[in-house]
Amino acid sequence: MQIALAPMEGLVDEILRDVLTRVGGIDWCVTEFIRVCDRLLAASTFEKLAPELADGARTRAGTPMRVQLLGSDPVCLAENAAFACELGAPVIDLNFGCPAKTVNKSRGGAVLLKEPELLHAIVREVRRAVPACIPVTAKMRLGFDSPDGALDCARALADGGAQQIVVHARTKVEGYKPPAHWEWVARVQDTVKVPVFANGEVWTLADWRRCREVSGVEDIMLGRGLVSRPDLARQIAAARAGEPVVEMTWAELQPMLQDFWRQARRKLAPRYAPGRLKQWLGMLTRSYPEAVALFAEVRRENDCARIDALLGVPNLQREWAEAVCA
C-alpha cells in the first residue's frame, strides 16, 4: 500500500509538505500545480513551487516529491515536463482534477475531462518527451458534471502512458461536497491495468477502512483529511500493518505548529505569514477542540510578534537579529 499527500494549490506548499511528511506514514507527495500555457517556463518558476528539487526532490524527512503540471497544450506540456526532469523531477504528474473556475476557464484541470482524446494526447506527448526511467502519472476527477465519461477518461490516461492514476471520487461540479463516490474508483480500477489511488473524503481511520472496502483499492491519496489530522497517514499505515494506532495529541502537535510558523515567518512577507497560519489552524479545528480556542485568538491578529507570543515561540525578529549580529 502507498499513501500519498495530495497537491493542493495555496495550501500544501513546501512548508506544509515539510511539516506533514516529518510526521510519518506518507510515501510521496506532489507539488502545487505548475501552470503551463504557451512557453517553456524558467527554472525559477519550477524552483519557486518545488524548492525540494535542490535537495534531490525530497522533503526534509526524505519523502519523495513529484512535480505536477497543469495545462492543455500537449507539446508545451511535454517540453516543460522534459525540462522539469532536467531540473531533477523524479516523477511527472499531470493535473486533470482542479475544479477552480479560473483554472477551468483557461482550459486547465477538470474541464479537460470533457475531452478524453485530449487527455490521451497530453499524456502521450509527455510520456514521449521525458526519459523512460521517469514515471508519468495523472490525477483526475470522475468528470466535469457527470461521471458518465469517467471510464473513458481513465482509459485515455492509461493508454496514453500514465503509470498511476489518482481518482478524486467526485465531479468538478460536486467540488468538495460529500459524499465521495468510492464505488467509481472500483470501476476505474476494473477498467485500467495501472494502479489506481482513491482520493476524497477520507478524514479518519474509519473513513479509510470504508473507502478501502468500497473502492477495493489499497493505495490512497490524502488531502484535506491529512491537513486537518496530521497523523492520519501514520494511523493508516499502522492499522494496515496490524500495529497499535496511537493518535497524536494536541500537545504533540504544538512543536509542528511552531515550526510551521517559524518557516512561514522566514519565507513569507509579514503581511502574508499570518494568513497561512490561520488557513492551517482553521482546518485543524475539525480534529482538535483545542485548535478552536487558539484559532479564535489568532484569526483577527495580523501582528507577527503577537502571534509569536500566542504560539509560545520567542520573538523571532529579535532572535534573528541577534543571530545575525553574532
Side-chain angles (χ1 to χ4, degrees):
M1 182 187 68
Q2 291 187 352
I3 303 173
L5 170 59
M8 289 174 277
E9 185 196 16
L11 177 60
V12 184
D13 60 1
E14 74 273 16
I15 301 175
L16 201 50
R17 288 196 297 268
D18 170 64
V19 173
L20 292 177
T21 56
R22 281 188 282 126
V23 177
I26 301 171
D27 293 294
W28 48 269
C29 59
V30 191
T31 66
E32 300 168 88
F33 68 73
I34 298 173
R35 188 190 297 265
V36 174
C37 295
D38 57 358
R39 62 178 63 86
L40 184 64
L41 299 173
S44 58
T45 301
F46 289 94
E47 292 160 357
K48 179 180 178 180
L49 291 172
E52 295 95 331
L53 289 172
D55 296 306
R58 291 178 179 270
T59 67
R60 193 170 12 158
T63 305
M65 179 208 69
R66 303 181 178 187
V67 171
Q68 187 181 82
L69 303 181
L70 176 147
S72 59
D73 184 321
V75 174
C76 197
L77 280 164
E79 292 174 349
N80 278 279
F83 185 44
C85 293
E86 292 177 17
L87 296 174
V91 179
I92 297 296
D93 187 62
L94 297 169
N95 182 319
F96 303 114
C98 180
K101 291 182 179 180
T102 54
V103 171
N104 291 173
K105 284 182 179 179
S106 60
R107 210 171 176 223
V111 72
L112 297 182
L113 296 170
K114 295 179 177 181
E115 305 178 69
E117 299 84 1
L118 180 55
L119 300 185
H120 181 273
I122 289 172
V123 179
R124 182 192 64 215
E125 292 304 313
V126 170
R127 178 65 277 171
R128 288 175 177 173
V130 305
C133 61
I134 302 292
V136 174
T137 62
K139 186 177 183 187
M140 60 174 279
R141 281 179 173 254
L142 295 179
F144 189 82
D145 52 13
S146 165
D148 292 345
L151 302 185
D152 289 335
C153 289
R155 286 191 200 94
L157 296 174
D159 292 348
Q163 289 161 262
Q164 289 177 346
I165 300 174
V166 174
V167 178
H168 184 130
R170 285 180 277 231
T171 65
K172 182 274 179 193
V173 171
E174 290 173 323
Y176 296 97
K177 296 177 183 177
H181 309 291
W182 297 325
E183 67 277 8
W184 274 93
V185 178
R187 296 185 65 180
V188 170
Q189 184 61 92
D190 288 343
T191 300
V192 299
K193 296 180 180 180
V194 300
V196 173
F197 283 65
N199 174 231
E201 217 57 29
V202 175
W203 300 91
T204 66
L205 190 59
D207 290 337
W208 165 70
R209 290 191 170 108
R210 288 194 297 272
C211 177
R212 183 175 63 164
E213 180 180 358
V214 173
S215 70
V217 303
E218 290 290 330
D219 299 325
I220 192 164
M221 175 174 277
L222 302 173
R224 295 175 302 153
L226 183 57
V227 175
S228 301
R229 190 181 298 270
D231 66 330
L232 181 57
R234 192 171 69 186
Q235 289 185 34
I236 292 172
R240 181 69 178 82
E243 300 171 353
V245 175
V246 181
E247 295 184 11
M248 176 180 285
T249 65
W250 177 249
E252 292 170 327
L253 183 55
Q254 297 314 292
M256 295 174 56
L257 268 175
Q258 292 170 345
D259 183 41
F260 177 88
W261 177 240
R262 286 174 180 270
Q263 292 195 54
R265 288 269 266 132
R266 289 191 182 96
K267 295 180 179 180
L268 302 174
R271 63 184 296 189
Y272 298 120
R276 291 290 290 115
L277 175 68
K278 294 171 191 177
Q279 184 185 35
W280 186 29
L281 190 56
M283 297 192 71
L284 290 172
T285 61
R286 183 183 179 108
S287 303
Y288 294 93
E290 300 92 336
V292 177
L294 181 57
F295 182 64
E297 291 186 272
V298 170
R299 66 183 305 174
R300 292 185 176 84
E301 187 58 74
N302 291 307
D303 183 278
C304 290
R306 286 199 286 268
I307 294 177
D308 291 347
L310 288 172
L311 293 181
V313 298
N315 185 298
L316 296 180
Q317 206 65 42
R318 184 183 305 117
E319 180 182 290
W320 297 334
E322 291 172 352
V324 170
C325 292

